[in-house]
Amino acid sequence: DAGVTQSPTHLIKTRGQQVTLRCSPKSGHDTVSWYQQALGQGPQFIFQYYEEEERQRGNFPDRFSGHQFPNYSSELNVNALLLGDSALYLCASSYRVPGEAFFGQGTRLTVV
Amino acid sequence: DAKTTQPPSMDCAEGRAANLPCNHSTISGNEYVYWYRQIHSQGPQYIIHGLKNNETNEMASLIITEDRKSSTLILPHATLRDTAVYYCIVRPSTTSGTYKYIFGTGTRLKVLA
């Protein structure tokens, strides 16, 4: 059983560009959350998707957007990249009935 | 949202028990305590969670005080592979059936040979 998979693992982008990160949830999970982790900090919640809708959102600007597909996979899009967007982006999946969330290995985004 | 307080770092000798404390004095009655760990910028790994009773699984034990204002994660026989950042999280109450984790800065545990 594959766990949560994220792609790509590493990415380098230039300021002002746009980026799309992808996440496939663990089998049987229907809820996907995205987190941003800056160096030396704990992960910060960006948003959560369930039934293809954004259900909760953290304190992130509208440049951060997402999507969930019918197969429960998800994308995180970031527009107009800033140097401060450089971070590890983590995807976590869970089943809607409260239980533990499982995290992917993350995508390391570097903005230059 | 409840917040947690953890010591920034701890050392533990290999083979000894590692006891990681967490303070969550503002926890609500229906909020769970979760523990995750993160090894060298990999994704956080679930360890254990509990509501009010003590819990044990193959990885660790979780001791929650009777007033639920604090808890301790116990790794009974720490190994070098347990060196990681450990996060104590209080999962906020849900209104829609979905929830988010609020991470602090965690405790950096170093297991010494």
Side-chain angles (χ1 to χ4, degrees):
Chain A
D1 174 29
V4 180
T5 58
Q6 293 186 242
S7 62
T9 54
H10 295 83
L11 201 54
I12 299 175
K13 288 287 190 178
T14 303
R15 273 184 302 175
Q17 285 188 315
Q18 179 264 346
V19 68
T20 297
L21 310 181
R22 295 177 175 83
C23 172
S24 293
K26 183 177 170 62
S27 177
H29 286 181
D30 58 3
T31 300
V32 173
S33 302
W34 287 91
Y35 291 79
Q36 180 196 65
Q37 186 174 25
L39 205 59
Q41 303 295 317
Q44 300 295 308
F45 176 78
I46 303 175
F47 43 53
Q48 183 177 72
Y49 278 83
Y50 170 71
E51 290 185 334
E52 302 179 48
E53 288 189 17
E54 183 181 294
R55 300 291 178 169
Q56 289 196 66
R57 189 178 184 91
N59 188 26
F60 280 81
D62 291 344
R63 297 187 298 108
F64 290 77
S65 63
H67 189 77
Q68 185 179 35
F69 299 94
N71 67 354
Y72 308 123
S73 67
S74 177
E75 288 181 349
L76 164 66
N77 301 293
V78 186
N79 294 323
L81 284 166
L82 305 173
L83 295 179
D85 294 331
S86 295
L88 180 69
Y89 287 84
L90 295 161
C91 170
S93 75
S94 57
Y95 185 61
R96 192 169 183 262
V97 175
E100 63 271 22
F102 290 82
F103 285 81
Q105 293 305 295
T107 294
R108 172 73 61 188
L109 173 65
T110 302
V111 182
V112 297
Chain B
D1 297 340
K3 294 183 179 178
T4 61
T5 304
Q6 300 177 252
S9 64
M10 294 181 63
D11 290 340
C12 177
E14 189 177 20
R16 304 296 294 271
N19 296 279
L20 292 91
C22 179
N23 181 285
H24 33 78
S25 58
T26 59
I27 192 170
S28 299
N30 61 348
E31 292 180 315
Y32 286 80
V33 178
Y34 276 74
W35 283 84
Y36 280 78
R37 73 180 182 184
Q38 190 171 26
I39 299 173
H40 194 52
S41 291
Q42 296 178 19
Q45 176 190 23
Y46 167 79
I47 301 173
I48 198 167
H49 73 280
L51 183 62
K52 57 177 72 173
N53 298 320
N54 298 337
E55 302 288 344
T56 296
N57 63 20
E58 63 280 2
M59 288 184 68
S61 295
L62 174 60
I63 309 297
I64 302 174
T65 58
E66 192 169 341
D67 63 8
R68 305 211 323 123
K69 293 182 184 299
S70 65
S71 61
T72 301
L73 177 74
I74 301 172
L75 308 178
H77 305 287
T79 71
L80 298 178
R81 288 178 296 179
D82 293 321
T83 293
V85 177
Y86 287 76
Y87 294 101
C88 168
I89 302 164
V90 171
R91 196 188 72 200
S93 301
T94 63
T95 55
S96 60
T98 59
Y99 57 88
K100 62 183 179 184
Y101 290 140
I102 299 175
F103 287 82
T105 51
T107 295
R108 186 172 298 276
L109 175 69
K110 191 173 185 179
V111 180
L112 305 172

